[in-house]
Amino acid sequence: MHAHLDTPSPWVVRWAPLVTRGPVLDVASGGGRHARFFAARGLEVVAVDRDAQDLPPAIQFVKASLEDGSPWPFAGRRFGAIVVTNYLHRPLFPHLAAALGRPTVGIYCATDPLATGLYGSAQAVNLGGAQKAPSIP
């Protein structure tokens, strides 16, 4: 595993203060760096990935392919935050939007902005939360 994938993305860490309630959904979680990060903050966390992962019992793991046409594994569920990093599958957008509870935070970064310099592809959205979004330098 790459060292930079063992620790939470600085982008996620930057926006994490907006996440004040769970459950947090970590989409395409890989080894669970963001799932572990939010679980350590005391939040309920659900991680989903196509490959089986060895995660702590406090994190609910769902093994599911999100690209093979299978049903969305979280139909009817709402999340206090959804985190997606280093993953882009546009057909999921309607499912992600439907899974956002209110108030909620979505942290989406298709690429690692610190590695690529592509900050235009990174988004953090506070939808009705009580806190103001941190400023972006």
Side-chain angles (χ1 to χ4, degrees), residues 7 23 33 39 59 68 71 73 78 85 88 112-113 125:
T7 59
R33 65 186 174 141
I59 298 170
D68 67 0
R78 300 291 178 268
T85 60
L88 176 64
D112 183 345
V125 181

Coordinates of all heavy atoms in Angstrom, one line a residue, residues 7 23 33 39 59 68 71 73 78 85 88 112-113 125:
T7 N -2.8 7.3 5.4 CA -3.3 8.4 6.3 C -4.4 9.2 5.6 O -4.5 9.2 4.3 CB -2.1 9.4 6.6 OG1 -1.6 9.9 5.4 CG2 -1.0 8.7 7.4
P23 N -24.5 8.7 10.3 CA -23.4 7.9 9.8 C -22.6 8.6 8.7 O -23.2 9.3 7.9 CB -24.0 6.6 9.4 CG -25.4 6.9 9.0 CD -25.8 8.1 9.9
R33 N -8.8 4.3 5.1 CA -8.1 5.5 5.8 C -9.1 6.5 6.2 O -9.0 7.0 7.4 CB -7.0 6.1 4.9 CG -7.5 6.7 3.6 CD -6.4 7.2 2.8 NE -6.9 7.7 1.5 CZ -6.4 8.8 0.9 NH1 -5.4 9.4 1.4 NH2 -6.9 9.2 -0.3
A39 N -14.2 7.2 12.3 CA -14.5 6.4 13.4 C -13.7 6.8 14.7 O -14.3 6.9 15.8 CB -14.2 4.9 13.1
I59 N -16.4 -0.2 12.4 CA -16.8 0.3 11.1 C -17.6 -0.8 10.4 O -17.1 -2.0 10.3 CB -15.5 0.6 10.3 CG1 -14.7 1.7 11.0 CG2 -15.9 1.0 8.8 CD1 -13.4 1.9 10.4
D68 N -20.9 -2.4 -11.6 CA -21.3 -3.5 -12.4 C -22.8 -3.6 -12.7 O -23.3 -4.6 -13.2 CB -20.8 -4.9 -11.8 CG -21.5 -5.2 -10.5 OD1 -22.4 -4.4 -10.0 OD2 -21.2 -6.3 -9.9
P71 N -27.7 -3.4 -7.8 CA -28.4 -2.3 -7.1 C -27.5 -1.6 -6.1 O -26.6 -2.1 -5.6 CB -29.5 -3.1 -6.4 CG -29.6 -4.4 -7.1 CD -28.2 -4.7 -7.7
P73 N -26.3 -0.4 -2.9 CA -26.5 -1.2 -1.6 C -27.1 -0.4 -0.4 O -27.3 -1.0 0.6 CB -25.0 -1.6 -1.3 CG -24.2 -0.7 -2.0 CD -24.9 -0.2 -3.2
R78 N -29.9 7.2 4.7 CA -29.4 8.5 4.6 C -28.2 8.6 5.5 O -28.1 8.0 6.5 CB -30.5 9.5 5.2 CG -31.8 9.5 4.4 CD -31.6 10.1 3.0 NE -32.8 10.1 2.2 CZ -33.2 9.1 1.4 NH1 -32.4 8.1 1.3 NH2 -34.3 9.1 0.7
T85 N -13.0 9.8 -2.3 CA -11.7 10.3 -2.7 C -11.1 9.4 -3.7 O -11.3 8.1 -3.6 CB -10.7 10.6 -1.6 OG1 -10.5 9.3 -0.9 CG2 -11.3 11.6 -0.6
L88 N -14.1 8.1 -9.2 CA -15.1 8.8 -10.0 C -15.9 7.9 -10.8 O -15.3 7.1 -11.7 CB -14.4 9.9 -10.9 CG -15.4 10.6 -11.9 CD1 -16.4 11.5 -11.1 CD2 -14.6 11.5 -12.8
D112 N -6.4 13.4 -5.9 CA -5.8 14.0 -4.7 C -5.2 15.4 -5.1 O -4.2 15.5 -5.8 CB -4.6 13.1 -4.2 CG -4.0 13.6 -2.9 OD1 -4.2 14.8 -2.5 OD2 -3.3 12.8 -2.3
P113 N -5.9 16.5 -4.6 CA -5.5 17.8 -5.0 C -4.1 18.2 -4.6 O -3.4 18.9 -5.3 CB -6.5 18.7 -4.3 CG -7.1 17.9 -3.2 CD -7.0 16.5 -3.7
V125 N -19.1 20.3 0.3 CA -20.4 21.0 0.3 C -21.0 20.8 1.7 O -21.2 19.7 2.2 CB -21.3 20.4 -0.8 CG1 -22.6 21.2 -0.8 CG2 -20.6 20.5 -2.1

